[in-house]
Amino acid sequence: EVQLVESGGDLVQPGGSLRLSCAASGFTFSTYPMHWVRQAPGKGLEYVSAISTDGGSTFYANSVKGRFIISRDNSKNTLYLQMGSLRAEDMAVYYCARAYRYSYDYWGQGTLVIVSS
Amino acid sequence: QSALTQPPSASGSPGQSVTISCTGTSSDVGGYNYVSWYQQHPGKAPKLMIYEVSKRPSGVPDRFSGSKSGNTASLTVSGLQAEDEADYYCSSYAGSNNLRVFGTGTKVTVL
């Protein structure tokens, strides 16, 4: 059974940093591109970042470019999102999602990031 | 990259059909056959319902169907059931720079 389990969400002050993790199981992690998608409270879904199977290519939404870094450790079946210079508008539930044929076929349960002083 | 445009709400009685539109541009919806649709119940993660415009993943009822014409994609839910009441989001590939764009979301109510 495919499972994606996010962790690392927390309350952080504006300007602060946070690292999210996504532990994958039930599939060959190294063969799938992975994405982060977020959802602000009461709002819609927003693509955040993506990474290729080997981690050699990374992509970012304009809203997080230069502040967030996506990475993966295929030996640990884990996806990461290093978040810096956090702003109030970054407050959201962050989901990791497996990319499949230009869609997302599996999602984690999400981890909540609160940005507030 | 602007979000794709969806109607805020749609509704139908049990057994009826409802169709949700998703309008983008030639840089996303109109440029690629890579539109997907997601169902999200309150407090839950999204669930893939349609990929590549009209393909259904295993386990998704055939009451759900997708199509596309020009810059607008559509999701039709036939034979509405109470459990179909949820938020629905479309998404499209948007090229090598932007990768993905989501729709604004549509709340489907089963009357």
Side-chain angles (χ1 to χ4, degrees):
Chain A
E1 177 194 8
V2 172
Q3 283 199 333
L4 298 170
V5 180
E6 301 95 337
S7 61
D10 204 348
L11 169 63
V12 60
Q13 292 189 342
S17 300
L18 203 60
R19 189 177 84 155
L20 306 183
S21 299
C22 169
S25 61
F27 66 103
T28 306
F29 180 70
S30 61
T31 65
Y32 286 86
M34 296 295 295
H35 291 220
W36 288 98
V37 176
R38 68 185 180 184
Q39 186 170 34
K43 302 297 184 182
L45 301 170
E46 180 189 14
Y47 157 75
V48 173
S49 183
I51 189 167
S52 61
T53 55
D54 64 357
S57 296
T58 56
F59 308 87
Y60 301 93
N62 289 337
S63 57
V64 306
K65 201 170 293 184
R67 300 187 299 120
F68 290 10
I69 299 174
I70 190 173
S71 62
R72 65 191 296 164
D73 186 338
N74 286 343
S75 69
K76 295 182 178 179
N77 291 341
T78 303
L79 174 72
Y80 303 100
L81 186 67
Q82 181 68 48
M83 309 165 66
S85 301
L86 282 163
R87 307 166 179 167
E89 55 264 36
D90 295 319
M91 184 163 69
V93 174
Y94 284 74
Y95 295 101
C96 65
R98 191 176 83 168
Y100 172 76
R101 292 181 177 260
Y102 298 93
S103 68
Y104 302 115
D105 61 346
Y106 287 94
W107 298 65
Q109 85 288 349
T111 189
L112 178 60
V113 173
I114 300 173
V115 183
S116 175
S117 54
Chain B
Q1 184 72 35
S2 299
L4 307 175
T5 301
Q6 297 180 232
S9 63
S11 62
S13 299
Q16 290 186 332
S17 295
V18 64
T19 297
I20 304 165
S21 62
C22 168
T23 302
T25 69
S26 58
S27 297
D28 38 63
V29 175
Y32 311 94
N33 287 322
Y34 296 137
V35 176
S36 50
W37 289 90
Y38 303 88
Q39 177 191 66
Q40 187 180 35
H41 288 108
K44 300 295 186 182
K47 174 187 176 183
L48 178 64
M49 305 303 285
I50 295 287
Y51 68 99
E52 291 180 347
V53 176
S54 59
K55 297 178 181 178
R56 273 188 315 276
S58 173
V60 172
D62 60 6
R63 303 184 293 102
F64 292 85
S65 62
S67 63
K68 191 188 86 166
S69 177
N71 296 336
T72 298
S74 298
L75 173 73
T76 297
V77 185
S78 305
L80 269 174
Q81 300 182 4
E83 59 262 36
D84 300 333
E85 185 163 293
D87 293 326
Y88 290 83
Y89 294 91
C90 62
S91 179
S92 174
Y93 177 67
S96 59
N97 285 331
N98 296 303
L99 278 205
R100 298 287 189 279
V101 61
F102 281 95
T104 50
T106 298
K107 180 175 181 60
V108 169
T109 301
V110 181
L111 302 171

